[in-house]
Amino acid sequence: MKLLGNNMTVALAVMCSLKSVAGNQACSQRPTPSSFYGSLTQPYYPHNAVCNDYMIPVDVEYTNVAFNATRWSDDYGLNNFLDVLTSRAGVDNSPPVGPASPSTQKATVNIAATFCTPKNKNGKEKTVILATHGIGPARAHWNAPVQPDQYNFVQYAIGQGYSVFFYDRLGTGASDKVSGFDNSIFKAISVLQSISKLVRNGLYTGCLGKPNKIALIGFSFGSYTTHGAIATDPSIADAVILTAIGFNLTGINVNGLLRSFVPRVASLQNSALYGDRDPGYVTWVDKYTQIWNYFKYPNYDPVIADYAEEAKQPYAMTEFLSLLSGPTDASAFKGPVLAITGEYDYIFCDGYCSGLLEEPGRTYYKNAKYVPYIHPGASHQLFLHHNATGAFQVITNFLNDNGL
């Protein structure tokens, strides 16, 4: 297995000099991604926070979908599936994902989560930011262990007085694994709705008890999940923050994205890290593929791109294919909404976001205070670019300005 580079070694050595809240993290050896991104504990806990880790049984009820194409077992079969799927219109119009019988399903799944609240209280700690990551990272997307003063959103938000609850989405990190041919945006929406209700009732929030306000924040697929959750149940949050989001379909080149991700069967790429996933879970082929889709040269540090690659998690193909199938109309939500996307977002803006954030987002949230914001210099992974703290400031200022 490829280990982290020298700069990451130094960063991780520093992290191991800090006392973990969990108290059981082994620092006697150089840690590797497999030793912490699949673990309930985090590789780093902000110095200004009190954090608790939880494995939470979550009841979900979701729209059932079926994978209608031939299920592959290796990269040859996956390549053939993608070849047919991305052929020009009219060659094969059979949708690979569609309705299933029964139309709804129920399940109980175990979700790994972390809750952090400030050591020094200023009154804002009763506002909980509930964070859902996207395709690629685990929950440490919000809690970067490398150069945390620059790239750790949890630490920044804690510094502004807020509490943060962040979790591994179903199929990632230490949460339950389900088939990559069955996982979907609809499962993700139901998980978030259930978790939000648990947090609203003061469960899994340590000594904080019941929060006064909940702000949902998502990244990429997690933003679509957040949008779908609030669209179908606006009572679960008081504010919404959508990062790395794009509703304007003119900016979404689906075939191009499927090609640029260069998907490979994750368990065949790295059986040690991803052997607990079936062939429906895929990942991009190397770090340059991730950089192509997530970063904008030269506005990032190559060491940080290396970290993102080492920390990556596989994604379910049905998640990718169902991404745009969730609910869109969020007119029942009347709270504040921030849509913040990198200027050069490759995934949802086809490389340039100017003019794409106003609509149809403003129409979807026609009864809310909808605020679009384009973050300069960044691509899709705006939290790992040089000006990440600028994005953090926009987010916390938005909450503060709206009384949260």
Side-chain angles (χ1 to χ4, degrees), residues 48-332:
N48 53 354
V50 176
C51 298
N52 294 289
D53 300 307
Y54 300 99
M55 187 64 77
I56 305 173
V58 176
D59 296 325
V60 294
E61 182 173 358
Y62 55 91
T63 301
N64 195 16
V65 299
F67 186 79
N68 297 319
T70 301
R71 300 189 178 198
W72 54 84
S73 60
D74 54 29
D75 287 322
Y76 296 102
L78 172 60
N79 282 348
N80 181 64
F81 167 77
L82 295 170
D83 177 25
V84 174
L85 185 64
T86 61
S87 295
R88 64 183 176 86
V91 174
D92 188 337
N93 292 321
S94 301
V97 175
S101 181
S103 59
T104 61
Q105 290 273 30
K106 293 182 179 182
T108 299
V109 296
N110 295 303
I111 299 297
T114 301
F115 176 75
C116 294
T117 194
K119 289 180 179 177
N120 299 317
K121 307 292 193 289
N122 67 0
K124 290 183 181 178
E125 69 279 356
K126 280 289 195 175
T127 293
V128 174
I129 302 172
L130 201 170
T132 304
H133 67 82
I135 282 175
R139 73 186 187 275
H141 167 81
W142 310 102
N143 185 40
V146 57
Q147 300 180 39
D149 288 345
Q150 297 183 56
Y151 302 110
N152 190 304
F153 173 76
V154 175
Q155 183 166 298
Y156 187 95
I158 291 288
Q160 301 304 307
Y162 295 102
S163 299
V164 186
F165 182 103
F166 52 111
Y167 66 99
D168 288 331
R169 291 193 302 101
L170 185 63
T172 67
S175 291
D176 279 356
K177 308 304 183 294
V178 296
S179 173
F181 296 106
D182 297 323
N183 210 355
S184 70
I185 187 73
F186 301 105
K187 283 186 179 179
I189 288 170
S190 184
V191 167
L192 174 55
Q193 289 174 331
S194 294
I195 287 177
S196 184
K197 291 171 185 175
L198 293 172
V199 172
R200 177 80 84 181
N201 287 323
L203 300 176
Y204 309 106
T205 55
C207 297
L208 182 75
K210 288 187 177 182
N212 293 334
K213 299 287 181 67
I214 292 179
L216 299 184
I217 186 171
F219 165 69
S220 190
F221 181 92
S223 285
Y224 275 88
T225 300
T226 299
H227 173 68
I230 206 73
T232 50
D233 188 353
S235 70
I236 62 173
D238 303 285
V240 173
I241 303 155
L242 307 171
T243 76
I245 188 71
F247 293 121
N248 194 320
L249 296 183
T250 61
I252 304 176
N253 182 348
V254 176
N255 280 1
L257 288 176
L258 282 166
R259 293 168 180 145
S260 66
F261 267 70
V262 195
R264 296 287 186 270
V265 174
S267 60
L268 299 180
Q269 283 284 100
N270 193 323
S271 60
L273 289 180
Y274 313 133
D276 57 351
R277 278 84 157 182
D278 71 13
Y281 279 91
V282 300
T283 187
W284 45 81
V285 69
D286 59 28
K287 74 174 182 180
Y288 297 105
T289 307
Q290 179 173 193
I291 288 170
W292 183 359
N293 287 283
Y294 283 74
F295 291 87
K296 180 63 177 178
Y297 184 83
N299 301 327
Y300 64 91
D301 186 336
V303 170
I304 300 304
D306 287 343
Y307 154 71
E309 181 63 16
E310 295 289 356
K312 72 179 180 181
Q313 289 283 297
Y315 60 93
M317 180 57 73
T318 45
E319 288 181 315
F320 196 103
L321 297 175
S322 65
L323 174 66
L324 301 178
S325 301
T328 56
D329 179 17
S331 58

Side-chain angles (χ1 to χ4, degrees), residues 4 20 43 47 76 91 256 305 332 334 345 360 394:
L4 304 179
S20 166
H47 61 84
Y76 296 102
V91 174
K334 299 179 181 179
D345 190 299
V394 169

Side-chain angles (χ1 to χ4, degrees), residues 20-35:
S20 166
V21 171
N24 61 356
Q25 183 171 324
C27 291
S28 59
Q29 297 180 354
R30 181 184 184 184
T32 63
S34 60
S35 70

